[in-house]
Amino acid sequence: MKRLLFAALTALAALAAPQVQAQDQPGPLRITITDGVIEPIRFAVPNFVARNAAAGDIAQDITRVISADLANTGLFEEIPQDAHIARVSSFDSSVQWSDWKAINAQALITGSVLVEGDGRLIVQFRLFDVFSEQPLGEGLQFVGTADGWRRMAHKVADAAYSRITGEDPYFDSRVVFVSETGPKDARLKRLAIMDYDGANVQYLTSSDSIVLAPRFSPDGAQIIYTSYESGFPRVTLMDVASLQRRTVGGETQNMSFAPRFSPSGDRVVYSAEASGNTDLYALDIATGATTRLTSAPSIETAPSFSPDGSQIVFESDRSGQPQLYVMPASGGEAQRISFGDGRYGTPVWSPRGDYIAFTKQTPGRFHIGVMRTDGSQERLLTGAFIDEGPTWSPNGRVIMFTRETPGAAGAPALYSVDITGRNLQRAATPAAASDPNWGPLLN
Amino acid sequence: MKTLPLILAATLALSACGDRLGGAGGVNDDGFAGGAAGANGAIVPGSANDPASPAYFQARVGDRVLFAVDQSTITPEGQATLRGQAEWLNANPSYTALIEGHADEQGTREYNLALGGRRANAARDYLITQGVDATRLRTISYGKERPLEVCSTEECYAQNRRAVTVLAAGAGV
């Protein structure tokens, strides 16, 4: 147990904030975020055993998704199945430790899949620390429906990830984004939703009117976004299940945009423009009452709540160019937190509360970066022609954003990077895509 | 004015079609087809030679003003254009106008929406100082959503940082 755990925590160390502790760790962890490339943990996932004929294909599919979830984090390296020596034909047979050690597997995941006559799907799994020859945690069983097999695979991978890293899970989650088609000067935009890994894309709107920057409610049941459906940009609230939508807030202004939910889900903070001046407002969803939070001749936009709901970080050009500020959630005096060279925008508070992610513009280049919530320890994670609009994974360890290529043929795509700046990956979407927002972990 | 909302909706639908003339929604392009004058030398109504036509407004008066990076200040050239627009609007009271503010792609989506709002309002404010009734002028921002030119160099960006006055036929037409 110790050895796997130690390896896992070493990997974690580079990723994690200093306050991360592990129960079995003998002393406090020392974390160096600027560490070089970490050594990924080598894991093996033999195909989950199909307990009946109906489970055959699904068992293989589930195994593949679990593998991809773990490998895509960059923290784990899969040992290909054709390198495995041991063959697992029964979920309850004893583990052939020497066979797994021989191929340097550190973690082993085994499982079984049963499809019941009534269509229910039962997935069982176990996680083992190969070098200590011990299970890592209890075996688990998930019960669902066959069409939910991907979610069950994500649940298995989430459990393995959490047990090994000590981090909260994030694979069983969804992303809402804007799907884009058509030429650059007449782009067609539609709201779409997908699993975090790009599977199960569903479109939520037609492409008849421009839609921008959707954001999930904390429970994932609603999406708030900016729509030109009325002819003018308006904050719009959509119910994900029914797709019913309505304009909210800002009826008296020319335009309302950049909405984001409070952590409790009962308020929305957004920008509205009147007579050319953009300020921040809060909307009480239940009553529809709006409160003005800022009154300055400068642009105030891109607000985001702290996870405890007490503060709002936002972007303002009151100093002459866009910078980041933090103020109480009810408005009031704001403290500037960004002081580096360049322009700062789209700040987003991490769900863990430890960092603020942002977009930074330097001459001819955009970056995604993170800083402490007081503005210290700024680190740029990416750089490209246009990188903008970060969103956090539910566990605050991965950031997804929009990367757009230049020129007439330029198009946006979704990318992710972990908070150390490693493991930059392009997300698979069916068309060009922008403005991702990562929803909560599903239940 | 009663018909305004409907007309504005039609304008938006058209201007979203990516017309390279940008923001020319609601105005057809007849005037550009070289239709200068009729065979007998008379002015063809609605052509760019007809001073009361939207085509004339677009081609001769100039329907747009450009801005420096990050700025919403109306330049001297822009002031001249807007004075011409005001003169035209004052002479043609049956038209209303929607002023579209735009930004180049060098900025975040949110900031550019706000910046487009500033630009559209700067143009609107100037038209009002020139005697145009404020109730005839609405604004909208497209941020960086509707570039006119699609290259990613300053040459294109300069054309994209704009406020475009889009005419709509108001009451009485």
Side-chain angles (χ1 to χ4, degrees), chain A residues 25 27 40 57 59 77-78 96 106 113 122 134 181 224 228 234 237 245 255 295 326 378 402 410-411 415 425 443:
Chain A
Q25 187 65 13
D57 289 344
E77 179 189 339
E78 187 193 5
Q96 303 300 304
Q106 293 166 278
V113 179
I122 299 173
Q134 294 288 328
T181 54
I224 196 139
Y228 281 65
R234 291 275 182 237
L237 183 64
R245 55 193 189 275
M255 121 170 118
S295 292
V326 172
E378 175 179 324
T402 306
Y415 279 76
Q425 294 199 12
N443 291 317

Side-chain angles (χ1 to χ4, degrees), chain A residues 10 45 61 72 97 122 131 140 148 164 189 203 240-241 248 263 271 280 306 346 356 414 418:
Chain A
T10 306
V45 192
D61 290 341
N72 286 343
W97 301 111
I122 299 173
F131 287 96
L140 279 183
I164 295 173
K189 295 194 166 195
Y203 295 96
V240 177
V248 294
S271 274
L280 299 179
S306 60
T346 68
I356 289 170
L414 307 187
D418 73 33

